[in-house]
Amino acid sequence: MNLQAQKEKVGEAAVEFVASLYPDRLKLGIGTGSTAECFIRSLTVLKDRIDATVPSSVRSEALLREMDLPVMDLNAVGSLDVYIDGADEINAELEMVKGGGAALTREKIVAAASNAFVCIADETKLVDKLGSFPIPIEVIPIARSMVARELVVMGGQPVWREDTTTDNGNWILDVHGLPVSEPLGLEQRIELIPGVVCCGIFARNAANLALIASATGIQRLEASRDIV
Ligand code: 5RP
C-alpha cells in the first residue's frame, strides 16, 4: 500500500471510529493537511448525523463546504465531541509536532475546544523523540527577529518560512535543532515569548488516541488519558 492509500485507509478508519464511539449526533473539530483531507472526504457517509464541523483552516473549510458538510464558527458551537487531525511527528505519549501546513494556532484552539483528540497519521510520523521535524512557531510579524533571537539563545536555529502567511495574517519560524527532552515544558517556555502566537509542540493538547497507518494495516495507540 503506498502512502496516499495509507492516508485514505486511516481517514476511513477514523470515520468508523467516530461513528462507533459517538452513536448519536456529532459536533466535530476538523484538522488540516493531506491526511485530514482524506478524513473529510470519507466523512460524507456520516453527513446525516453531523450537526456541525469546525475547521482549523480556510483550506479545510473549503473542502468541507465542497463536500456539503455543515461548517460552523467555533464561537457559535461551544465544545466539540472530538477533534481529528494529522501530525508531523507523534511519540508514544501521543505528544505531537504540528504546523507543517501552517495551521497550528487554529489547530490548537479547535483541539482545546474538543473533548478528545484523535490523531491520524502514517507510520513515518511515529518517532521515539520529537524534534527531528523543525518546530513551527507562529509569530506576530513585527516580532519575527526578536523571537528568532530568543530561540537561538534556547539552542535552536530558526528559519523564516518566507513564502507563508497564516490564516491569521502571521508568519512562521521553523526551528531546527531544538532539544525536545521535555515537550510540555518547552511548549510553555516558547509560548511565553512575547510575539509568539503558538508553538507547534502539542503536549498540553496531546492526542487521546492515535490511528497509525502502515502497509500492513492500522495500529491503534492509546494514551493513558481517557478518550471521553
Ligand atoms: C498542518 C498540520 C498537519 O496536521 C501536519 O502538517 C500533517 O499533515 P499531513 O497529513 O499532510 O502530513 O499540522 O498545520
Side-chain angles (χ1 to χ4, degrees):
M1 210 186 326
N2 67 26
L3 205 55
Q4 179 56 28
Q6 290 179 32
K7 290 180 187 197
E8 287 165 12
K9 278 275 172 234
V10 82
E12 288 164 19
V15 170
E16 280 167 28
F17 177 78
V18 166
S20 64
L21 192 65
Y22 304 94
D24 301 320
R25 308 296 302 167
L26 287 162
K27 288 190 283 182
L28 300 175
I30 308 286
T32 297
S34 56
T35 318
E37 284 173 12
C38 289
F39 173 72
I40 296 172
R41 290 185 192 282
S42 297
L43 197 55
T44 49
V45 296
L46 293 182
K47 195 183 282 188
D48 294 343
R49 285 178 42 199
I50 297 175
D51 286 333
T53 66
V54 176
S56 59
S57 63
V58 170
R59 173 178 154 188
S60 291
E61 177 176 353
L63 183 58
L64 286 163
R65 291 194 188 283
E66 191 185 315
M67 298 285 120
D68 205 23
L69 290 158
V71 174
M72 289 189 70
D73 185 303
L74 183 59
N75 292 308
V77 177
S79 70
L80 301 165
D81 296 313
V82 58
Y83 180 65
I84 316 284
D85 198 0
D88 298 303
E89 285 184 339
I90 182 164
N91 67 15
E93 303 300 313
L94 309 192
E95 297 162 325
M96 294 159 284
V97 171
K98 292 182 47 54
L104 62 161
T105 301
R106 294 191 190 194
E107 290 174 341
K108 204 173 271 193
I109 293 168
V110 183
S114 302
N115 292 325
F117 186 149
V118 175
C119 178
I120 50 175
D122 62 81
E123 65 179 351
T124 63
K125 309 295 183 65
L126 194 55
V127 296
D128 289 334
K129 193 170 182 300
L130 301 178
S132 297
F133 190 91
I135 295 162
I137 297 178
E138 180 164 348
V139 296
I140 300 285
I142 61 158
R144 174 181 58 83
S145 296
M146 188 209 77
V147 171
R149 287 194 296 276
E150 293 268 340
L151 292 164
V152 169
V153 171
M154 290 169 71
Q157 294 111 43
V159 176
W160 177 22
R161 210 186 291 178
E162 289 191 57
D163 59 352
T164 300
T165 299
T166 70
D167 288 348
N168 313 308
N170 296 317
W171 291 346
I172 299 283
L173 293 171
D174 291 307
V175 190
H176 299 249
L178 258 190
V180 193
S181 45
E182 213 265 283
L184 181 60
L186 186 60
E187 175 185 12
Q188 290 175 334
R189 202 170 148 208
I190 291 172
E191 290 188 346
L192 281 176
I193 302 171
V196 169
V197 177
C198 185
C199 167
I201 297 173
F202 281 53
R204 200 182 53 196
N205 298 101
N208 303 87
L209 179 89
L211 300 174
I212 306 291
S214 68
T216 52
I218 308 288
Q219 179 189 2
R220 186 175 154 147
L221 301 180
E222 289 189 37
S224 42
R225 301 168 298 282
D226 289 337
I227 180 88
V228 275

